[in-house]
Amino acid sequence: DADVTQTPRNRITKTGKRIMLECSQTKGHDRMYWYRQDPGLGLRLIYYSFDVKDINKGEISDGYSVSRQAQAKFSLSLESAIPNQTALYFCATSGTRGANEQFFGPGTRLTVL
Amino acid sequence: GQQVMQIPQYQHVQEGEDFTTYCNSSTTLSNIQWYKQRPGGHPVFLIQLVKSGEVKKQKRLTFQFGEAKKNSSLHITATQTTDVGTYFCAGPLGTSYGKLTFGQGTILTVHP
């Protein structure tokens, strides 16, 4: 089984709809992150959480909110989706030892019409 | 704000040719990480460099961290079709260890 999973993998929605993207991990990591990827812009950090009670805004948090339901679960919500939120969304986790490398989920491709 | 710039954005090579991507930061970095994303896949960690002037090799891949710790490079010798994908560098965002700011990525295409 994959260590970091994301649901759904693909979603098409309409402008103004509320959308939730979910992320679960079995790596036992405290740190979790949400990124969006757009062509030519790399990966941009939306929100991050270093433990269950710690939530922080990243570079581009406007229009998004998150919930850390448990150590293993971190959800990203778009309260009222707009077309420029069409992107590939990745969840990632990291530990606190060694290189602190990030482990990414498979991604959710979101299209807002 | 802190920026990590990566060039080129695209690189097309013939199989067997070498490839290099460059990463430059506007500020000194405590470390730099490199990731590879295969087409349709997710980023996968390759390596972290920490020391000034550090050079690390992984088979045909050579990673360098500049003396001033503001730039880095990834060089692939004799590319293969399995090397296709997007290569990202990433440095710590701000002073908090654990957050990363990613470069825009270099998309490598290898023609057989």
Side-chain angles (χ1 to χ4, degrees):
Chain A
D1 288 341
D3 294 321
V4 185
T5 57
Q6 292 182 236
T7 56
R9 295 294 312 279
N10 289 282
R11 182 70 183 268
I12 300 173
T13 191
K14 294 182 179 180
T15 297
K17 295 291 187 180
R18 183 178 187 275
I19 296 296
M20 178 180 285
L21 308 183
E22 299 186 337
C23 176
S24 294
Q25 53 110 349
T26 58
K27 299 191 73 66
H29 288 163
D30 285 326
R31 298 176 176 180
M32 298 187 74
Y33 311 82
W34 275 104
Y35 292 91
R36 65 176 280 175
Q37 184 176 24
D38 300 277
L41 295 178
L43 294 155
R44 293 182 292 167
L45 183 64
I46 306 172
Y47 269 95
Y48 64 100
S49 169
F50 281 178
D51 66 41
V52 175
K53 297 181 179 179
D54 175 74
I55 302 289
N56 301 281
K57 293 182 178 181
E59 303 166 82
I60 54 164
S61 59
D62 288 348
Y64 302 94
S65 63
V66 291
S67 173
R68 184 81 184 267
Q69 300 95 326
Q71 185 203 38
K73 297 184 182 294
F74 193 34
S75 300
L76 176 71
S77 293
L78 288 69
E79 296 301 326
S80 181
I82 56 177
N84 76 0
Q85 291 177 313
T86 293
L88 184 57
Y89 290 85
F90 285 104
C91 173
T93 75
S94 70
T96 55
R97 297 181 179 180
N100 302 116
E101 68 266 36
Q102 296 192 4
F103 296 85
F104 286 79
T108 294
R109 185 165 296 281
L110 176 66
T111 302
V112 184
L113 301 175
Chain B
Q2 180 181 350
Q3 290 187 331
V4 175
M5 307 298 292
Q6 197 172 346
I7 57 171
Q9 186 173 357
Y10 301 94
Q11 187 74 60
H12 301 265
V13 300
Q14 290 293 133
E15 190 173 18
E17 292 181 338
D18 292 355
F19 159 77
T20 304
T21 174
Y22 300 90
C23 185
N24 292 285
S25 171
S26 57
T27 60
T28 300
L29 300 171
S30 58
N31 65 80
I32 194 159
Q33 298 183 3
W34 284 92
Y35 291 78
K36 176 183 178 180
Q37 182 180 21
R38 294 183 186 276
H42 58 276
V44 175
F45 174 79
L46 293 176
I47 206 164
Q48 177 177 267
L49 304 173
V50 178
K51 299 177 182 178
S52 171
E54 189 169 16
V55 178
K56 287 188 175 180
K57 293 188 176 184
Q58 291 180 348
K59 298 183 180 179
R60 295 176 295 103
L61 278 62
T62 301
F63 303 85
Q64 294 188 331
F65 200 12
E67 293 290 341
K69 302 182 76 172
K70 295 180 70 173
N71 58 75
S72 182
S73 64
L74 159 59
H75 179 82
I76 302 179
T77 303
T79 54
Q80 300 176 357
T81 54
T82 54
D83 294 325
V84 297
T86 304
Y87 292 84
F88 293 101
C89 61
L93 180 62
T95 57
S96 179
Y97 198 57
K99 296 185 298 178
L100 295 174
T101 183
F102 282 80
Q104 300 93 325
T106 295
I107 300 172
L108 173 63
T109 304
V110 179
H111 300 283

